[in-house]
Amino acid sequence: MQVEHHDLHHEFPELDDAIHALKTGNAHFAKLFSIYHRLTGRVEDLEENDMPVADFTIEDMKKQRVKLKDELYHMLLAYRAGQQSAKA
C-alpha cells in the first residue's frame, strides 16, 4: 500500500528553518514534535504493513496527529511572525 508521509518537513517545507529553530530552542515545541513524529511513524507503519487494527484505533491516532500538527503549525506561524516583527 502506498502511504503518504506526514512528517512536518513534508507537510510544511516552507517552514523548515522555523521547525529546526523551534526544535532546538523551544522545549515545548520539541516535546510536541517528538510526540507527533512517533505517532506519525506508528500510523504510517500500520498503514504500510496493512496491519490489523480496529478502525476506531487508527482514526483516533489520526485525530491526535491532526491536533498536534495544528498546535505545532500555530507555534511555527507565531515564530515566523516574531521574526518578521524583529526585522521591521
Side-chain angles (χ1 to χ4, degrees):
M1 171 190 274
Q2 181 68 19
V3 174
E4 188 175 330
H5 295 286
H6 290 276
D7 66 272
L8 285 187
H9 295 285
H10 279 93
E11 294 288 320
F12 310 119
E14 71 282 3
L15 297 172
D16 199 48
D17 59 329
I19 292 169
H20 178 72
L22 286 173
K23 273 189 349 185
T24 58
N26 183 306
H28 181 63
F29 182 91
K31 180 181 176 183
L32 293 178
F33 179 88
S34 178
I35 294 168
Y36 176 85
H37 182 72
R38 281 194 312 271
L39 184 59
T40 296
R42 288 197 313 251
V43 169
E44 289 176 0
D45 190 44
L46 289 170
E47 291 176 338
E48 278 181 1
N49 297 310
D50 209 20
M51 300 174 85
V53 63
D55 287 343
F56 173 78
T57 302
I58 194 87
E59 291 306 313
D60 190 50
M61 292 169 74
K62 288 180 177 181
K63 286 177 185 176
Q64 290 175 35
R65 181 173 66 182
V66 167
K67 184 178 180 211
L68 283 167
K69 182 167 63 170
D70 187 55
E71 187 172 352
L72 290 164
Y73 181 67
H74 283 92
M75 292 175 76
L76 290 164
L77 290 181
Y79 175 81
R80 266 289 164 85
Q83 281 187 317
Q84 299 297 325
S85 295
K87 291 180 182 178

